[in-house]
Amino acid sequence: MAAKIIMKRIAIAALSAVILQGVTPLDSLNVYASENTGASYTALDLYTYIQDQCSTEYTLTEKAETFLEEHDDFFPASPELVIPDEMIDAELDFRHINKNPSRYGDKLMRISDAYVIQVQEQEMEEGHYLTWLNLIDGEEQQYSVYYNGELDDVFEDDTVEVTGLPLGTSSFENTEGGDTLVVVLAGCKVNNINQAE
């Protein structure tokens, strides 16, 4: 059974698209933000901007837009920030979002014991990185997590716990001729479970 799971993960990794390929630097976002807000970009600016820049294009739900605007300091959350329990929907999982993405985005979700298939960083402006994680959970569902910053202690084949905001769904073509569906999250907190042990 373990060998079957490992082989499936290897196959999924081989099929996965290079998600950050083609993402343009944040220069145009900084211009947009300074012209419209007089300040540097917000979480809402960032996730609105990258929704069309990556190969896993998604469309922000209205609820997610509101949450990002109201909780800018969650993306990413500082280690000291305690997220109130009522802001996390403990029952929310892939199936809910896949069924109807527009119903979600007003609360965070938590994915425990997610396997890191791929992780990539791209410098978006001098000294600032966007990190992308391709994750698979215990139910073999995939997530595409965009984290506004660096994750120095997270690598491929690690196991992580992620708290993030569901932004919508996307898909990419796999080599078998079908599509792989993913739930797209704005990363709030990412903890490496391997290092916590």
Side-chain angles (χ1 to χ4, degrees):
M1 181 67 176
K4 183 179 176 185
I5 291 171
I6 291 169
M7 291 306 295
K8 184 162 187 173
R9 288 179 176 169
I10 291 169
I12 290 169
L15 299 176
S16 296
V18 180
I19 305 300
L20 287 176
Q21 187 173 14
V23 175
T24 54
L26 291 179
D27 296 341
S28 56
L29 177 56
N30 287 329
V31 170
Y32 167 83
S34 62
E35 287 176 353
N36 290 281
T37 65
S40 63
Y41 61 88
T42 64
L44 176 59
D45 292 331
L46 175 65
Y47 291 106
T48 300
Y49 177 76
I50 66 171
Q51 71 182 330
D52 298 322
Q53 299 295 321
C54 300
S55 58
T56 51
E57 292 180 5
Y58 59 91
T59 300
L60 278 172
T61 66
E62 286 184 33
K63 289 183 178 185
E65 287 181 1
T66 301
F67 192 97
L68 288 166
E69 191 168 38
E70 292 175 355
H71 303 287
D72 187 65
D73 59 330
F74 282 19
F75 304 98
S78 67
E80 303 81 37
L81 180 65
V82 177
I83 300 169
D85 289 340
E86 61 269 14
M87 293 188 134
I88 300 173
D89 185 342
E91 303 299 317
L92 186 58
D93 66 25
F94 183 96
R95 297 169 303 156
H96 297 103
I97 300 163
N98 180 33
K99 184 177 177 182
N100 185 355
S102 65
R103 288 186 57 196
Y104 305 99
D106 55 346
K107 288 195 175 189
L108 299 169
M109 68 183 294
R110 185 165 287 139
I111 308 165
S112 301
D113 296 326
Y115 177 80
V116 180
I117 298 170
Q118 289 177 289
V119 59
Q120 295 178 357
E121 282 181 351
Q122 181 165 340
E123 190 169 25
M124 299 295 283
E125 61 182 347
E126 188 173 341
H128 186 87
Y129 291 83
L130 176 68
T131 303
W132 167 73
L133 298 160
N134 182 8
L135 306 176
I136 188 167
D137 67 12
E139 302 298 317
E140 310 239 339
Q141 304 298 338
Q142 286 199 51
Y143 298 84
S144 191
V145 180
Y146 293 98
Y147 182 85
N148 184 16
E150 299 172 62
L151 293 168
D152 291 333
D153 64 343
V154 175
F155 301 94
E156 288 183 12
D157 300 323
D158 281 343
T159 303
V160 294
E161 177 183 80
V162 174
T163 303
L165 183 71
L167 302 177
T169 58
S170 187
S171 64
F172 60 87
E173 186 177 340
N174 59 48
T175 57
E176 295 173 351
D179 289 329
T180 299
L181 183 68
V182 296
V183 167
V184 181
L185 300 176
C188 179
K189 291 190 174 201
V190 179
N191 298 313
N192 189 329
I193 295 172
N194 297 110
Q195 293 189 349
E197 296 173 346

